[in-house]
């Protein structure tokens, strides 16, 4: 097995970049939608054969065992080349929690199946009354012999219609006075009576989000990960590390590159007002990249990220939205056209970018919630 961490950062970046550029299918670069597993299965099999499915997992569990510095390089190169994340909820979310909190039996059974994508996972966190404030969740699980019986509803469940299993937060103690308590982390199969999935069609016509209804659905008690009623602590364990990736600069950088290509083809830079607005957007992107580098350096030094990492998500998503709005304006009467617009040798789907930017300030913890976190935990303002 290769000790990737023993390589210099430059050599590791060269290795990862070379593999992605040589092996990733051109037709899958920068996909405007989330693909089903069947669409990217051949790429997943290639990653699995190389041992690169789970870059952050310890090598003993089948991962690459990358430290924070190498992991950032891996994801930066993935984003730079437009490599789709694939169906990675298992690798990114449930796998690390099983590694940290699961029993040996759970590790032996679930982890190889996650790596191979024999099991494809979706995340059951948000509910109609519990989105960014997950502590309000109401889906409940009650014991019945060797099983939990699950009743309730999840919403905005990404790609649930393409998943075999769901990892979910459920309420297992109805009586506790503190809402963050009494929540447990369960694994459950999707293909069973009592589980109904309904897709939600977005503005762009995609159906990547779903509602999931549980009506006396069942899962073995052995599928409880960690301690009963301690799921809230487990869910928080991933959040700070997730924040830096959800706030990575590529989202705004790619949009700015699209805007520049499109605007040059349309002659928009002849307008001094447009030039001024473009320059402001470009400065915002550069400032965000500098802030991202600061947090990345903290991870490389092995430091724990604080609540101030929430700035990244706020900044990049709102910058992304402003750029796509400027692109719509630059398109003029064609701004509402469905599908790519041809500008010279470049195709830019202006409307798809605009639609893609709309929910970014909501998912992963809404920007309003992130601002509350900053005001309380960073600035010390009263709640």
């Amino acid at each position: 097995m290769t000790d990737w961490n023993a390589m210099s950062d430059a050599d590791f970046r060269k290795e990862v970049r070379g593999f992605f550029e040589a092996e990733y299918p051109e037709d899958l670069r920068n996909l405007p939608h989330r693909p089903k597993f069947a669409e990217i299965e051949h790429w997943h099999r290639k990653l699995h054969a190389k041992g690169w499915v789970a870059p952050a997992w310890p090598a003993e569990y089948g991962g690459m065992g990358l430290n924070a510095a190498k992991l950032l390089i891996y994801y930066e190169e993935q984003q730079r080349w437009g490599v789709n994340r694939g169906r990675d909820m298992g690798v990114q979310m449930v796998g690390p929690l099983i590694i940290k909190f699961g029993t040996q039996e759970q590790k032996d059974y679930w982890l190889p199946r996650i790596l191979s994508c024999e099991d494809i996972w979706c995340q059951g966190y948000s509910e109609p009354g519990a989105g960014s404030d997950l502590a309000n969740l109401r889906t409940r699980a009650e014991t019945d012999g060797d099983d939990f019986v699950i009743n309730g509803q999840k919403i905005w469940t990404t790609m649930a219609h393409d998943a075999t299993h769901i990892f979910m937060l459920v309420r297992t103690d109805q009586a506790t006075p503190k809402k963050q308590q009494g929540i447990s982390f369960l694994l459950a199969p999707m293909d069973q009576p009592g589980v109904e999935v309904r897709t939600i069609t977005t503005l762009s016509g995609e159906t990547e989000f779903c509602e999931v209804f549980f009506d006396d659905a069942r899962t073995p008690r052995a599928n409880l990960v960690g301690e009963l009623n301690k799921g809230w602590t487990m869910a928080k364990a991933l959040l700070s590390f997730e924040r830096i990736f959800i706030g990575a600069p590529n989202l705004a950088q790619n949009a700015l590159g699209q805007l520049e290509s499109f605007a040059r083809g349309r002659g928009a830079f002849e307008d001094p007002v447009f030039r001024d607005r473009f320059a402001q957007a470009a400065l915002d992107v550069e400032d965000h990249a500098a802030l991202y580098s600061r947090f990345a350096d903290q991870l490389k030094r092995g430091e724990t990220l604080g609540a101030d990492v929430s700035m990244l998500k706020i900044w990049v998503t709102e910058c992304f939205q402003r750029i796509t709005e400027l692109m719509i304006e630059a398109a003029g009467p064609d701004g509402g056209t469905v599908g790519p617009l041809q500008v010279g040798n470049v195709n830019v789907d202006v409307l798809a970018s605009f639609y893609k930017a709309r929910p970014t300030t909501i998912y992963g913890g809404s920007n309003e919630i992130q601002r509350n976190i900053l005001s309380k935990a960073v600035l010390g303002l009263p709640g």
Side-chain angles (χ1 to χ4, degrees), residues 56-58 61 88-104 106-107 110-111 114 121-125 134 166-169 183-187 223-227 230-242:
W57 288 17
Y61 296 116
D88 64 351
M89 284 287 188
V91 168
Q92 298 283 13
M93 304 292 287
V94 69
L97 287 176
I98 291 174
I99 289 171
K100 185 171 183 177
F101 299 102
T103 64
Q104 189 60 50
Q106 288 172 334
K107 294 173 186 177
W110 293 111
L111 297 182
I114 291 172
W121 293 86
C122 61
Q123 179 193 67
Y125 281 11
L134 282 174
I166 186 170
F167 60 95
M168 55 195 307
L169 292 175
I183 294 173
S184 298
F185 192 95
L186 292 184
L187 315 177
N223 286 349
L224 169 72
V225 181
E227 296 182 53
K230 296 296 179 65
W232 183 254
T233 300
M234 292 172 54
K236 290 195 301 181
L238 290 174
L239 288 182
S240 66
F241 204 60
E242 181 189 16

Side-chain angles (χ1 to χ4, degrees), residues 19-245:
F19 176 71
F20 286 156
E21 291 185 357
E23 301 294 339
Y24 189 70
E26 182 67 26
D27 62 319
L28 295 181
R29 289 187 65 193
N30 297 305
L31 286 176
H33 64 279
R34 288 182 186 264
K36 288 189 173 183
F37 180 67
E39 189 177 346
I40 55 169
E41 181 175 3
H42 57 298
W43 169 244
H44 179 87
R45 301 300 177 206
K46 190 171 289 189
L47 278 180
H48 189 233
K50 192 173 177 64
W52 281 22
V53 171
W57 288 17
E60 65 185 286
Y61 296 116
M64 295 176 70
L66 300 184
N67 60 28
K70 296 295 191 298
L71 187 61
L72 283 172
I73 291 171
Y74 182 94
Y75 287 130
E76 285 168 0
E77 290 303 312
Q78 190 180 54
Q79 293 162 356
R80 185 193 70 85
W81 196 245
V83 177
N84 189 273
R85 287 173 42 187
R87 300 306 316 283
D88 64 351
M89 284 287 188
V91 168
Q92 298 283 13
M93 304 292 287
V94 69
L97 287 176
I98 291 174
I99 289 171
K100 185 171 183 177
F101 299 102
T103 64
Q104 189 60 50
E105 290 77 12
Q106 288 172 334
K107 294 173 186 177
D108 292 343
Y109 181 77
W110 293 111
L111 297 182
R113 298 168 67 94
I114 291 172
L115 291 174
S116 68
C117 261
E118 183 175 353
D119 298 329
I120 301 175
W121 293 86
C122 61
Q123 179 193 67
Y125 281 11
S126 295
E127 298 184 6
S132 296
D133 188 5
L134 282 174
N136 283 326
L137 66 86
R138 300 176 63 184
T139 297
R140 67 186 188 278
E142 300 166 325
T143 56
D144 179 26
D146 292 333
D147 291 344
F148 284 104
V149 179
I150 306 167
N151 286 280
Q153 178 189 357
K154 298 294 180 178
I155 198 168
W156 309 121
T157 310
T158 303
M159 301 300 287
H161 57 310
D162 192 42
T164 63
H165 290 74
I166 186 170
F167 60 95
M168 55 195 307
L169 292 175
V170 296
R171 192 162 294 286
T172 45
D173 183 351
Q174 313 295 324
T176 181
K178 191 173 182 181
K179 62 183 181 180
Q180 286 87 353
Q181 297 173 348
I183 294 173
S184 298
F185 192 95
L186 292 184
L187 315 177
M190 296 287 283
D191 184 15
Q192 61 162 307
V195 176
E196 180 186 357
V197 177
R198 301 177 190 170
T199 57
I200 300 171
T201 303
T202 66
L203 281 172
S204 59
E206 302 293 339
T207 55
E208 62 185 68
F209 298 120
C210 302
E211 297 176 279
V212 185
F213 298 86
F214 300 91
D215 183 9
D216 288 340
R218 305 181 78 91
T219 194
R221 292 181 66 175
N223 286 349
L224 169 72
V225 181
E227 296 182 53
L228 188 69
N229 300 324
K230 296 296 179 65
W232 183 254
T233 300
M234 292 172 54
K236 290 195 301 181
L238 290 174
L239 288 182
S240 66
F241 204 60
E242 181 189 16
R243 287 285 177 264
I244 191 168
F245 292 115

